[in-house]
Amino acid sequence: MIAASVMPIGSSLGLVQSGDLRALVTIGPRRCPFVPAAPTVREAGYPSLEDLTWFAFFVSAKTPAPIVDKLNAAIQAALRTDEVKAGMAKLAVEPDAIAMEDFARLIASESDRKAIVEATGFVPTD
């Protein structure tokens, strides 16, 4: 028996829908559309547990700005299409295309969390 676990919604949604698991909270900044009855950790009173799962496209730092801008525009446009949204929904992923400047801030905030983890003394093991 699993008392509690933090799991990606894509790997646990079927179990939640079947009633084998119960979603207690979601860890993102807003409620998950796939389990709308589950409050966020912030709503449950634990704002410091809030986290965000994200996916990104990266290119070499030497890529010329016009090419980066063109790629970014194409990716942003694709993420707004019904076809991509439907495909992502099948994976229980809610696309949220953000501006590159906002993504740069997100990366910086993720780097800030590294110090928090290091302060705990946590060491990953195989």
Side-chain angles (χ1 to χ4, degrees):
M1 171 187 250
I2 298 173
S5 178
V6 177
M7 300 171 64
I9 191 66
S11 64
S12 57
L13 185 58
L15 295 169
V16 171
Q17 291 172 333
S18 72
D20 291 329
L21 285 180
R22 181 171 38 150
L24 300 176
V25 296
T26 58
I27 60 173
R30 60 183 181 272
R31 288 193 180 210
C32 176
F34 304 104
V35 286
T40 66
V41 288
R42 181 174 296 277
E43 291 172 323
Y46 302 95
S48 63
L49 293 177
E50 188 174 281
D51 197 11
L52 185 65
T53 300
W54 51 267
F55 302 91
F57 291 90
F58 292 91
V59 295
S60 167
K62 296 177 183 179
T63 305
I67 293 174
V68 171
D69 292 341
K70 187 173 183 177
L71 285 169
N72 183 52
I75 292 165
Q76 297 279 347
L79 289 172
R80 288 190 294 272
T81 67
D82 291 339
E83 183 179 21
V84 170
K85 287 179 185 178
M88 300 287 263
K90 288 179 185 176
L91 301 171
V93 173
E94 182 185 16
D96 186 13
I98 62 174
M100 286 194 300
E101 298 80 23
D102 294 334
F103 183 65
R105 283 191 288 280
L106 174 64
I107 293 289
S109 73
E110 293 287 299
S111 296
D112 292 344
R113 290 178 179 225
K114 180 181 177 188
I116 296 169
V117 174
E118 288 172 345
T120 69
F122 174 78
V123 178
T125 59
D126 290 340

